[in-house]
Amino acid sequence: TDHFTLGFARRATAYKRPEMLLSRPDHLREISRRVGPVQIVMGGKAHPHDHAGKMLMQKVMREMNGLSPDIRCAYMPNYDIDLARSLLAGVDVWVNLPVPPLEASGTSGMKAACNAVPSLSTWDGWWMEGGEHGVTGWTVGDGREGGSPEDSDSLYHLLEHEIVPLYYKDREAYLRIMRNALAKNGPRFAAARMVQDYLKVYAL
């Protein structure tokens, strides 16, 4: 695609903060107009008993509709393994914005790396091991426990001044970060490593 594509898809629940990506619609429009066109693909399901998660999905879809026609957006409410295969391989950066330290792992980011997709993530979960700013992706905020209102400042600063300009103005540098994501994190976060860790750490 000729549009820089942000991807965000996982279980819909409050601590994962999907709404942060859409929290400054005018800023998103300005980035898309001045730096280069941006589009957003999001997806996820809430647990059947998570009423707040369901309300969050509705809020995100309303905010995405409000960005039209300036920012192309799509939300996949029936996100499943088949959709994940296409989405993880098709976006330009994978967004992950959990409130530190609530993310236990973050396997979607690991799968993105296996598809040579860099992450844009808060300092939590797997990113604390796999994240190298400007090498395998970009880190949002300072990892302050409980999150911070400044996380949104950091997110939009990175999009406007580092990530989107790099994508449009230095494609080779962007491709290098994609290759780093695959080469450094693809082998590190594989099922074989998971089994070995269980055997080493938890086996009696």
Side-chain angles (χ1 to χ4, degrees):
T1 177
D2 57 354
H3 281 50
F4 175 76
T5 306
L6 294 159
F8 185 113
R10 52 189 49 83
R11 180 169 59 91
T13 192
Y15 85 86
K16 294 181 182 288
R17 300 191 291 186
E19 74 282 2
M20 186 193 300
L21 182 58
L22 309 169
S23 62
R24 302 185 183 186
D26 289 338
H27 200 162
L28 271 176
R29 291 186 180 97
E30 175 66 13
I31 293 169
S32 192
R33 182 190 66 79
R34 186 173 53 79
V35 185
V38 173
Q39 62 185 8
I40 301 171
V41 183
M42 301 182 78
K45 294 180 181 179
H47 187 279
H49 301 301
D50 185 354
H51 180 69
K54 294 176 185 178
M55 297 298 291
L56 180 60
M57 287 174 61
Q58 293 175 15
K59 178 183 178 182
V60 164
M61 285 187 273
R62 286 195 302 271
E63 291 174 346
M64 294 180 84
N65 287 336
L67 285 167
S68 179
D70 306 299
I71 307 284
R72 295 195 298 195
C73 297
Y75 191 90
M76 299 179 295
N78 295 314
Y79 181 66
D80 58 14
I81 291 175
D82 289 334
L83 283 173
R85 288 192 183 101
S86 299
L87 181 58
L88 285 158
V91 300
D92 297 304
V93 70
W94 191 251
V95 183
N96 184 44
L97 302 169
V99 176
L102 300 180
E103 185 61 77
S105 180
T107 53
S108 66
M110 301 177 197
K111 289 181 283 190
C114 288
N115 285 277
V117 175
S119 284
L120 172 61
S121 178
T122 49
W123 196 243
D124 197 15
W126 83 284
W127 194 241
M128 296 180 73
E129 182 179 345
E132 295 182 55
H133 189 86
V135 178
T136 59
W138 300 268
T139 299
V140 174
D142 58 8
R144 188 181 313 175
E145 186 168 331
S148 165
E150 286 146 22
D151 289 348
S152 179
D153 295 336
S154 175
L155 171 66
Y156 277 85
H157 179 86
L158 289 169
L159 287 172
E160 180 177 6
H161 297 287
E162 293 191 37
I163 302 170
V164 181
L166 192 69
Y167 179 84
Y168 282 110
K169 296 177 181 178
D170 193 344
R171 187 58 62 90
E172 181 52 42
Y174 200 92
L175 290 172
R176 185 163 56 249
I177 293 175
M178 293 179 67
R179 290 191 291 266
N180 286 338
L182 175 60
K184 288 175 171 284
N185 286 334
R188 189 185 301 180
F189 298 97
R193 184 262 179 94
M194 175 187 68
V195 173
Q196 290 171 359
D197 283 356
Y198 274 120
L199 287 172
K200 291 176 183 176
V201 178
Y202 297 109
L204 298 176

